[in-house]
Amino acid sequence: MKTLNDTHIGQIYYIHKIIGKNQAKLRDLGMISDKKITLISTDGENAIVKIDETRLALSSEFLEQIFVKEERSSEDIIGLAHLQVGQTGVVRMIDATSDIRHRLMDMGITRGTSVHLQKLAPLGDPLELRLRGYSLSLRKTDAEKIKVVLER
């Protein structure tokens, strides 16, 4: 396994794990397991990386804490509605019509977003979710269209 500092410029890698004191900072920047990442340029001390469509400048200290792999791990993708209270999932896709997909994306539910199931209503519908620093209530039928991978 290699760190992002040891990768080739322009090649696509996937984040395996992050170690060190800056884990929370890097996670807030969208660096989570199996996220696609590419080293764009480096001068030995600083580098520019691309995560999805976002470019970030990082020092070599950060690059040494990000371990990458060349392929994505196999994942069990489930509907968000199948999470248990207290579980967290990372959004992989929204399997819905264009209108519903746009509405969910406008609410902040996009690929790579970490979504925590806080509570269920007494009859199981709607769900109360926590994402991006706010709480969101969502119908179970809409939640089923959001496909996630359990966060470890």
Side-chain angles (χ1 to χ4, degrees), residues 28-44:
D28 288 344
L29 291 171
M31 295 190 192
I32 56 173
S33 249
D34 281 336
K35 189 80 149 188
K36 184 167 59 171
I37 189 166
T38 306
L39 183 65
I40 301 296
S41 68
T42 183
D43 64 5

Side-chain angles (χ1 to χ4, degrees), residues 79-90:
L80 182 60
H82 293 289
L83 291 182
Q84 301 296 313
V85 173
Q87 286 185 315
T88 302
V90 178

Side-chain angles (χ1 to χ4, degrees), residues 36-40 48-56:
K36 184 167 59 171
I37 189 166
T38 306
L39 183 65
I40 301 296
I48 297 175
V49 297
K50 182 177 176 186
I51 302 172
D52 291 330
E53 298 303 317
T54 305
R55 292 174 189 247
L56 297 170

Side-chain angles (χ1 to χ4, degrees), residues 74-125:
S74 60
E75 304 174 317
D76 290 332
I77 297 176
I78 60 172
L80 182 60
H82 293 289
L83 291 182
Q84 301 296 313
V85 173
Q87 286 185 315
T88 302
V90 178
V91 177
R92 289 294 183 239
M93 64 184 265
I94 299 173
D95 187 19
T97 63
S98 179
D99 291 341
I100 294 171
R101 183 176 26 252
H102 287 286
R103 184 172 58 87
L104 292 171
M105 290 172 69
D106 287 344
M107 288 188 257
I109 301 171
T110 57
R111 275 183 60 110
T113 301
S114 186
V115 180
H116 180 78
L117 180 59
Q118 284 190 307
K119 319 181 211 182
L120 290 174
L123 297 176
D125 197 11

Side-chain angles (χ1 to χ4, degrees), residues 125-136:
D125 197 11
L127 314 169
E128 184 178 325
L129 308 169
R130 182 92 181 146
L131 64 141
R132 299 183 184 265
Y134 72 94
S135 293
L136 172 70

